[in-house]
Every structure is written in structure tokens, then in C-alpha cells.
Amino acid sequence: MFDIIVKFFDRDPLRRSGRIVASSDRAGVGTSEKRTRWSVGRTRRDTQRERTRAALVSAAQRMLADGRTAASVQEVTRMADVGHGSFYNHFATKDALFTAAIEEALEDWARLRDAAVGGIDDPALAFATSFRMTGRLQRRHPDLVRVLLSAGASILVSERGLRADAKADIARGIDSGQFSIPDAESGLMLTGGILLGLLQMLDADPRSDAEAAADEMAQRALMALGVTEVEASEMARSALPPFPDLVVSHN
Amino acid sequence: MFDIIVKFFDRDPLRRSGRIVASSDRAGVGTSEKRTRWSVGRTRRDTQRERTRAALVSAAQRMLADGRTAASVQEVTRMADVGHGSFYNHFATKDALFTAAIEEALEDWARLRDAAVGGIDDPALAFATSFRMTGRLQRRHPDLVRVLLSAGASILVSERGLRADAKADIARGIDSGQFSIPDAESGLMLTGGILLGLLQMLDADPRSDAEAAADEMAQRALMALGVTEVEASEMARSALPPFPDLVVSHN
């Protein structure tokens, strides 16, 4: 449904070498671990298997976005247009599928962040940029964000997604003296909560000014971490890097 | 399961008049509308009907807390110890039951807030007190809080619960010049998100110091609203009113 392909070909040796051809192939945008597992020496059968799994995950993401988690396995396989029996080749239960759907949405989100803030050294600025880009993401990919909202506050403690990177930004900001929050874990839950509040607010009011709201909330998140109001306001209104060039394939 | 009875008998004319006798009767602690609807002129049959409904809601809350929303109607009625057919006298669908279970948990939460901060005039202090008490609530009633967490960020836009009161506190803080946030709705989503982050953090680590964490997060929420770090720290460490005397009936 929303396989996000971040087009940074020059960062991706496998893509450049021509080993990956299909632009809808997740392998080219995954972590290096994934790249290795999926793209080196894969057979036609692996590819077919992976397509079936991707179709199931995509269908589950659509159902999560629509709040239809009570759907049966049969409804999922029908939406995914795969055979009913193939479901159990990939997932033991429907819950396992929904968990995978949320985890993959979190990974898409983390890839977006990497592409957007990769070159920023200042931890407070990297944090603010990542936060502001995520607010903008809601308007570009509301379904992806709705999958995350459907998972509830528990995504704040998921090891998938951008938790590790965001926590590292906060820890560096504490070390540099920019943030007064006593520990990085509290800072992560504090600002992760604000981000959920922002995304829920934007989801509930599709016509509001998402950029202004994201910038205001980024400022407030910086203030909560201990940055002064004047500095936080400046940092949350500075020029942004270009939005990563995304191809979203609604398979 | 966690029918919270706030024991403020002297605030409740119906209780004092002796019209309500059962301490496990929700009627005595509801809003005045509920009180009127449920306690004036109710018959034995109404009481029985209400007990069945309460048992269903309680079972649904237990399932939400355990993440078992895929349970069948039959499993719900078995857990509630009521006849299978009686379900449809109360709820059209299982989703309707789960929605009611979340809404009633939100109302329990709002009643706790009313009892805790009823007498506080200063809006920033009322906000901080409500926030700190809610953090403490997680350790006293983790299942109630887990119901709220399971509902995800959407509870931030639910008209039930303490949304209206919290928004009014924030609006008064803006009027008084204590808060610099531009509008009360943003302030509500900002601080509601922080509250979700706090509750999720406490839920994930049952042995952490919940009082210290709640006070730290209350301070950070005040800072995000625009209170200086020194003032916010003082306000978030001031003496709290006694925790409301709660009777939780695990029916």
C-alpha cells in the first residue's frame, strides 16, 4: 500500500550496480541487513514468496488505517489477492500479520528520517528537523500515519522505527548541554508523546495548516527538553532540507 | 472490573438523601445527567439490566487491558458471566461494546480529576496537579490506564473524559498570560501527548519511580506550554492534595 522508496540511488551501491531492477522492490531501500538477505542470490521462488508477503502486509496496513482489525484471515487474503492457504506460509496468526504491518510502517518512517536529517550534526537541529518532517509526512501519507496512530502509545516503546535514532539525538543534546531533561529515555517518551499528539491533531483536522502546526509543536518539544523559547522558535522555523523524493507504490 | 467510586458523599445530594444504597452502583458517581437517568424512579428490572451491561463493559475492559480485542462475543459473555443472548440487548456489535468500555474508562478518569483538583483556582497549578495525579493513577490502577493506552492517540480527541476540563484549564492559563501556546487545542494535544508518553513509559517499566517520573513530565509539560523551567519545577514539586479515596470494585 505504501511501500516508500527513498530515491537516493547514489547512496545505494546495490542499486547502482544494477543488481536491483524493480523500483517497487523493498530490498533496495531496506537496512543493509535486509539488503543482504533479500537481494543477494535470491531465486524466482523467493521473489514470488516475498511478493505474497508484501501483498498481505499491504492489505493489513490498509485495514489498520481504516480501523478494520476485526477482519477475518479470509478477508485479508481476498484484499491482498492471494490464495487463502498462502497466509499461513507467512504468518502464524492474524495478530502476527498486524504486528508486522505496524513494524514495517515504523521502518518506512525511519527510512524517511534518515534521508531527511542524514547530514545534520547539531543534535537539537537534527531532532527538530526530524520532528517537522514527520508532521509534513502526515499530509503526504495519511494512511501510513494512521497505521502508526492505530497502534497507540505502544509504538513509543517499539524497538523498530526511529526510536533508536531519536534517542541518540536526545542523548547527544543532553551531553552538549542543549537539553536539560535528566535522561534520554524520558526525553524520548516526552517528545514521542508530543509527536503522537501532533499526528492525531492533523489526522482529525485534514484541512488545518500542517506545516505551521508541525513547526509550533517542534518548538514546544524543544522547550520541553529545556531549550529557551526564543532559541526553540528560531530552530523550529529554520529552512528545511528538501523533502525526500518518495515513490509510494500502492500495490 | 474497575468501577471507581469516588467517596465524596457530602458532594452528592442523592447519596446523602439515602436514595442510593449500593456502593458498587455506578449511578452515585456519574455525571448529574447519569444520576438523574439511573437513580430516580428506577425499577428492579432496570437494576438487573444495568448490572448485565456493567458486567459486559467490565469484561471488555479486562480484554482491552490484556490486548485481547480479537475475542468473540461468546468469550465476552462467558467472561462477564451473563447469557449469550443478553449481549444484543445492550450492544449492536462487539466494536460498540469496546467503544463503551473505553468511554467509561475515560469517564472514571475524569471523575478522579474532578475529585483531585476541584478546589484549585490557579489554572497552571490545576493543570500540573491533574497531570501528576494521573501519573500516580497508573500505579494504582494499571488496568484502567492500559484500557486508555490500548485506545491509542484517538482518546486525545474523544469528547468523553477530561478533555473539556483540561482544555478549559489551558485556555485560562493562556488568558492569564501563564502559557505562551497560541491556542488551547494545540496545548491540549501537546500535553495530552506527553501524558500518553508518561503512561506508556510507566506501563512498560512497572518498577520505576512513578511519582518522580510524573512530576518530571508535569514540569516538562508546563515548560512546553511556556512556563519557565524554575517556575515549572516548583509547581511540579509542590504539595499534592490527598489522593481521592477510591473504591475499585473488581466485579
Side-chain angles (χ1 to χ4, degrees), chain A residues 148-170:
Chain A
L148 303 177
L149 290 174
S150 74
S154 64
I155 63 162
L156 299 177
V157 290
S158 167
E159 291 306 324
R160 310 295 271 266
L162 46 69
R163 178 180 165 82
D165 288 332
K167 192 169 170 180
D169 283 343
I170 294 169

Side-chain angles (χ1 to χ4, degrees), chain B residues 175-195:
Chain B
D175 289 344
S176 71
Q178 289 170 294
F179 298 155
S180 66
I181 186 116
D183 64 282
E185 179 67 21
S186 299
L188 184 71
M189 300 302 283
L190 172 75
T191 55
I194 298 175
L195 190 58

Side-chain angles (χ1 to χ4, degrees), chain A residues 67 69-70 94-95 149-157 179-182 185-187 189-194 196-198 200-201 204 216-217 219-221 223-227 229, chain B residues 67 69-70 94-95 149-157 179-182 185-187 189-194 196-198 200-201 204 216-217 219-221 223-227 229:
Chain A
T69 51
K94 207 181 61 176
D95 277 355
L149 290 174
S150 74
S154 64
I155 63 162
L156 299 177
V157 290
F179 298 155
S180 66
I181 187 114
E185 178 68 20
S186 299
M189 299 303 282
L190 171 75
T191 55
I194 297 175
L196 279 185
L198 167 66
Q200 181 61 57
M201 186 170 79
E216 179 69 36
M217 286 291 200
Q219 173 187 331
R220 300 289 155 180
M223 289 164 67
L225 290 169
V227 177
E229 183 155 2
Chain B
T69 51
K94 209 182 62 178
D95 277 355
L149 290 174
S150 74
S154 64
I155 64 162
L156 299 178
V157 290
F179 298 155
S180 66
I181 186 116
E185 179 67 21
S186 299
M189 300 302 283
L190 172 75
T191 55
I194 298 175
L196 279 185
L198 167 66
Q200 181 62 57
M201 186 170 78
E216 179 68 36
M217 285 291 201
Q219 173 188 332
R220 300 288 156 180
M223 289 163 66
L225 290 168
V227 177
E229 182 154 3

Side-chain angles (χ1 to χ4, degrees), chain B residues 19 35-44 46:
Chain B
R19 276 203 262 181
R35 220 148 41 211
T36 309
R37 181 155 49 87
W38 288 7
S39 60
V40 176
R42 62 198 298 207
T43 64
R44 193 168 301 168
D46 290 340

Side-chain angles (χ1 to χ4, degrees), chain A residues 51-79:
Chain A
R51 271 196 200 129
T52 301
R53 187 182 183 283
L56 287 167
V57 167
S58 175
Q61 289 182 327
R62 236 171 307 172
M63 285 174 164
L64 283 166
D66 296 341
R68 292 176 51 208
T69 51
S72 66
V73 167
Q74 193 158 24
E75 287 173 278
V76 173
T77 52
R78 202 181 305 134
M79 182 181 270

Side-chain angles (χ1 to χ4, degrees), chain B residues 3 12 18 24 45 61 78 108 111 122 139 160 164-165 176 178 191 196 200 209 226 231 235 243 251:
Chain B
D3 228 343
D12 188 333
S24 64
R45 194 169 163 187
Q61 289 182 326
R78 200 183 306 135
D108 285 342
R111 277 194 286 279
D122 181 87
R139 284 291 186 262
R160 311 295 271 267
D165 288 333
S176 71
Q178 289 170 294
T191 55
L196 279 185
Q200 181 62 57
D209 183 342
E231 280 180 302
M235 211 174 274
F243 209 87
N251 31 336

Side-chain angles (χ1 to χ4, degrees), chain B residues 19-186:
Chain B
R19 276 203 262 181
I20 295 168
V21 287
S23 79
S24 64
D25 185 338
R26 291 185 72 90
V29 294
T31 61
S32 59
E33 181 209 341
K34 223 176 193 174
R35 220 148 41 211
T36 309
R37 181 155 49 87
W38 288 7
S39 60
V40 176
R42 62 198 298 207
T43 64
R44 193 168 301 168
R45 194 169 163 187
D46 290 340
T47 309
Q48 178 52 46
R49 190 181 155 78
E50 205 41 59
R51 270 194 200 130
T52 301
R53 187 182 183 287
L56 287 167
V57 167
S58 175
Q61 289 182 326
R62 236 170 307 171
M63 286 176 164
L64 282 166
D66 296 341
R68 294 175 49 209
T69 51
S72 65
V73 166
Q74 193 158 25
E75 287 172 278
V76 173
T77 53
R78 200 183 306 135
M79 181 181 271
D81 198 18
V82 303
H84 180 69
S86 69
F87 181 91
Y88 297 98
N89 295 334
H90 294 274
F91 300 100
T93 63
K94 209 182 62 178
D95 277 355
L97 168 65
F98 281 121
T99 300
I102 289 165
E103 286 178 347
E104 297 203 3
L106 280 166
E107 285 168 8
D108 285 342
W109 186 21
R111 277 194 286 279
L112 177 90
R113 180 196 172 284
D114 287 350
V117 309
I120 303 175
D121 281 334
D122 181 87
L125 192 60
F127 169 83
T129 303
S130 164
F131 193 105
R132 295 165 70 199
M133 299 298 258
T134 303
R136 286 156 172 78
L137 177 69
Q138 195 282 330
R139 284 291 186 262
R140 287 168 181 252
H141 305 292
D143 285 349
L144 168 65
V145 169
R146 211 166 287 143
V147 172
L148 303 177
L149 290 174
S150 74
S154 64
I155 64 162
L156 299 178
V157 290
S158 167
E159 291 305 324
R160 311 295 271 267
L162 46 70
R163 177 178 166 82
D165 288 333
K167 192 169 169 179
D169 283 345
I170 293 169
R172 287 195 300 125
I174 294 171
D175 289 344
S176 71
Q178 289 170 294
F179 298 155
S180 66
I181 186 116
D183 64 282
E185 179 67 21
S186 299

